[in-house]
Amino acid sequence: MSPSTTPPNHTGPTTDASTSPSENPPHTTAPNSYHAAAGARSLRPPTDPDTAATDLTQWINDCANTLAPLKTSTTNHTNKKAAWFTEDLRISKHTCRKLEKEWLHDRTPDNHTALKSATRRHHQLIRTAKKTAFKDRLDNNAHNTKELFSIVKELSNPSSITNDIPPSQDLCDSLATFFHRKITDIHDIFNPDPPAPTTKSTTPATTTRTSRLTVWSSISDQDTIKTMNSIHSGSPSDPCPHHVFNKASAAIAPHLRKTINCSFEAATFPESWKHAEINAVLKKTKAEPKDLKNFRPISLLPFPAKVTEKIVNKQLTRYLEVNNILDPSQSSFRSKHSTETALIATTDDIWTLMDKGETAALILLDLSAAFDTVCHCILSARLHDTGIQEKALAWTTSFLSGRTQSVRLPPFRSKTTEIICGVPQGSSLSPTLFNIYMAPLAHIARQHNLNTISYADDTQLIISLTEDPHTAKANLH
C-alpha cells in the first residue's frame, strides 16, 4: 500500500495481544487494611537508625505479604486513550479500516479513491482535535505556571530510553559506567587531591554569625502524615508503591516517625536510604540514543528517605529565612521566587545601566553537572559558616556520604557504584544545600563591581562598560 493510502495506526486505543510477566510486581491492597495488619504486628523500639530503617521496611513487607502476597501474573497491555481522541475520530478511524479492507479485497480504483479521501479527512480531524484540546487546556490554565510547563513537556514528548533501544545488561552497565566517569572526571579536574574533612571557613567573611542550628527538631505523627501525603514518587525498591504510603500514612507514620527521630538523635542517616535507582532518559526527543552523552540520569529515591529529607529541608529553610542568610540574588527553590523574578531582575539591572547612559555587558555562566560535582568537604564548611553545627551538621554529613546508585532498565539493573561527590538529585533537600554551596559566588562578584542574578546553577553577571575600558577588563578578570 502506498503511503498516501495508509490509514493511521496511532490515533486511538490499541490492544497488544501479547502478554508478558510483570517485573517485580508491587504490593497492591486496600490501604485501610494496613491499620488492621499493623495492629497484629509489633515493631521493636528503634535502637539505631540503620536497624530501625531495616525493621521498618521488613514490617511494611510483612503487612503487605499478609494482605496482598506477591505473585507473578500476565497482563494485557492496552494503550491509554489520548485526551483529544473524540467519538468522531473513533468513527472516522473505523471507516478508514473498513475502506482499507474493501480496497485490499477488490483493488478497484473507486475503492482506492474512497480510502484516500477518508484518510485525508481523518488526518484533518486529528489536527483539529489536537489543536482544540490543547488550546482549551492552555486557556484553562493561563495562570497556572506548573500546568503550562506540563503541557509544554507533553507536547515536546521526551522519549524514554526503553522506547528507543532494547534494554540489556550491557546497556545498563555502560550507562552506569558513563554516568560515574563523567562526574569523577569533572570532580578530579577541580579537586585533584581530595581535601581533608574540615569545618574551616571557605566563605568570605562578612558578618559574625551569632545564630546556630545544632539539632534537627523531633517531629510528631501529624507532621509525618502531612509530609507523607505531599510526596507522590518513590523508588522501585520500596516495599510498596507511593500511593499506598500516602493512603496508609496513618498506620505507617508512627513507626516512620520513630525511625526519623532516632536518625536525628543519632545524627546518622540510614545506609539503606542512601541508594538511588537511576532511570536514563533522552535529553532531547530527537537525540541519538546510541550516544550515551544524550542521556540524563533521573534519580529515584526511597520514599521514607524523601519524607525525612523534606522534613529537614523545611527546618533548614525556616532557619535560613529567619536569619536572612540566603543571598537575595538567588531565585531558585525559594518561596515567592521563580525564573520570572530572575528574568525581571536581570532586565531591570540592564535597563538601569542604559538609563544612566552606560553600556551593559551580560555574561552567562552555566555549570556542567552542577549538583553532581558538589564537594562534600567544601559544603560542610559552608554549612558550618551558616550556623549548621554539631548534630545537625553531623547528620547532614552522614546524609551526603556513602551514597550509591545503580541504573535500572527493567528487567535489568547495573552494578552498584559509589558516589564520591554531589548532592542527590530528586531530593527536596539538595536544592537548598546547593544554594548554600553557591552563596559565595554572589559576594565575590559584588567585590568586583559585578551585579549577579542566579537561578540554581545558571548565573548572570552584569557589568557596566564605562569610558575606561581597562577598568572594565580588570573587573572581568
Side-chain angles (χ1 to χ4, degrees):
M1 185 185 299
S2 62
S4 62
T5 61
T6 302
N9 294 319
H10 61 283
T11 57
T14 59
T15 301
D16 184 357
S18 63
T19 60
S20 61
S22 302
E23 187 249 340
N24 294 333
H27 292 289
T28 55
T29 183
N32 291 336
S33 302
Y34 264 87
H35 294 277
R41 286 171 174 75
S42 61
L43 189 62
R44 60 181 176 179
T47 55
D48 65 87
D50 290 328
T51 302
T54 301
D55 289 347
L56 176 65
T57 300
Q58 186 59 51
W59 176 81
I60 296 174
N61 263 321
D62 290 343
C63 292
N65 284 330
T66 300
L67 301 171
L70 287 175
K71 62 180 181 179
T72 301
S73 62
T74 56
T75 58
N76 291 326
H77 299 285
T78 302
N79 293 338
K80 185 178 179 181
K81 183 178 179 180
W84 47 264
F85 191 80
T86 62
E87 180 64 18
D88 289 340
L89 279 173
R90 187 193 67 79
I91 296 173
S92 175
K93 179 182 178 181
H94 177 73
T95 300
C96 288
R97 292 300 188 197
K98 182 179 179 180
L99 291 172
E100 179 189 18
K101 290 179 181 180
E102 292 177 357
W103 181 74
L104 289 173
H105 182 268
D106 298 332
R107 297 283 180 171
T108 63
D110 289 343
N111 286 342
H112 185 262
T113 301
L115 176 58
K116 288 179 63 177
S117 178
T119 302
R120 282 195 294 267
R121 286 196 303 271
H122 187 70
H123 287 162
Q124 181 59 45
L125 283 174
I126 292 174
R127 287 191 290 269
T128 302
K130 284 184 175 182
K131 181 177 179 181
T132 301
F134 282 108
K135 182 178 184 301
D136 290 343
R137 288 181 62 189
L138 290 170
D139 290 342
N140 294 335
N141 295 281
H143 302 291
N144 187 339
T145 305
K146 182 178 180 179
E147 183 62 23
L148 287 175
F149 274 105
S150 176
I151 296 172
V152 171
K153 183 178 181 180
E154 182 179 343
L155 287 170
S156 60
N157 190 28
S159 301
S160 170
I161 183 171
T162 54
N163 294 331
D164 297 280
I165 299 181
S168 66
Q169 188 62 52
D170 287 343
L171 181 58
C172 271
D173 293 336
S174 296
L175 282 168
T177 301
F178 172 77
F179 291 146
H180 184 261
R181 284 181 178 174
K182 177 183 176 182
I183 302 308
T184 54
D185 289 347
I186 296 175
H187 182 266
D188 291 344
I189 291 174
F190 296 99
N191 301 275
D193 298 315
T198 179
T199 56
K200 184 180 179 180
S201 176
T202 60
T203 305
T206 53
T207 58
T208 302
R209 185 71 58 199
T210 57
S211 56
R212 294 198 310 161
L213 179 60
T214 59
V215 64
W216 304 120
S217 302
S218 298
I219 58 172
S220 65
D221 287 349
Q222 288 302 315
D223 294 331
T224 310
I225 293 173
K226 183 178 180 180
T227 306
M228 290 177 68
N229 291 334
S230 68
I231 296 174
H232 306 292
S233 63
S235 168
S237 60
D238 284 335
C240 62
H242 66 83
H243 62 84
V244 176
F245 273 111
N246 297 148
K247 295 180 181 179
S249 57
I252 299 175
H255 304 291
L256 179 56
R257 182 259 304 168
K258 293 177 183 178
T259 303
I260 295 174
N261 286 340
C262 177
S263 172
F264 291 166
E265 179 61 28
T268 304
F269 192 74
E271 292 294 326
S272 60
W273 292 357
K274 295 183 181 182
H275 183 74
E277 300 273 2
I278 303 297
N279 183 28
V281 297
L282 283 172
K283 296 179 180 179
K284 296 181 180 179
T285 306
K286 298 181 180 180
E288 173 54 55
K290 294 183 180 180
D291 188 351
L292 300 183
K293 295 179 181 179
N294 291 328
F295 288 99
R296 175 182 289 110
I298 304 298
S299 297
L300 304 177
L301 303 173
F303 188 92
K306 300 188 77 167
V307 174
T308 309
E309 294 157 11
K310 192 163 187 176
I311 290 170
V312 170
N313 184 58
K314 184 177 179 180
Q315 296 184 27
L316 176 58
T317 301
R318 185 187 305 117
Y319 168 79
L320 297 174
E321 291 177 348
V322 168
N323 293 281
N324 197 28
I325 294 174
L326 289 177
D327 192 278
S329 65
Q330 177 61 262
S331 292
S332 65
F333 313 109
R334 298 177 61 185
S335 176
K336 300 179 181 179
H337 290 71
S338 66
T339 52
E340 292 180 14
T341 57
L343 290 171
I344 291 172
T346 302
T347 305
D348 182 68
D349 283 355
I350 293 174
W351 278 108
T352 299
L353 292 176
M354 294 177 66
D355 287 342
K356 295 179 180 179
E358 301 175 3
T359 301
L362 177 63
I363 304 172
L364 304 178
L365 305 179
D366 184 21
L367 303 179
S368 178
F371 275 46
D372 295 326
T373 54
V374 170
C375 177
H376 293 165
C377 294
I378 295 176
L379 177 57
S380 295
R382 299 266 165 82
L383 289 168
H384 187 272
D385 292 342
T386 60
I388 314 300
Q389 300 171 10
E390 299 181 17
K391 283 189 174 182
L393 179 59
W395 184 93
T396 308
T397 302
S398 174
F399 166 77
L400 294 170
S401 62
R403 303 194 72 92
T404 58
Q405 66 181 26
S406 60
V407 175
R408 178 178 178 271
L409 298 175
F412 304 100
R413 180 179 281 104
S414 72
K415 296 179 180 179
T416 298
T417 57
E418 184 180 358
I419 303 173
I420 62 172
C421 59
V423 291
Q425 298 207 38
S427 164
S428 59
L429 178 58
S430 294
T432 305
L433 294 177
F434 184 79
N435 283 348
I436 295 174
Y437 183 76
M438 294 294 293
L441 177 61
H443 177 76
I444 295 171
R446 283 191 289 269
Q447 284 184 328
H448 295 81
N449 298 321
L450 295 172
N451 291 342
T452 177
I453 296 95
S454 301
Y455 189 88
D457 59 326
D458 295 318
T459 302
Q460 293 80 44
L461 300 177
I462 303 172
I463 184 172
S464 170
L465 299 180
T466 59
E467 294 182 357
D468 183 4
H470 299 290
T471 302
K473 183 176 180 181
N475 288 335
L476 288 173
H477 288 284

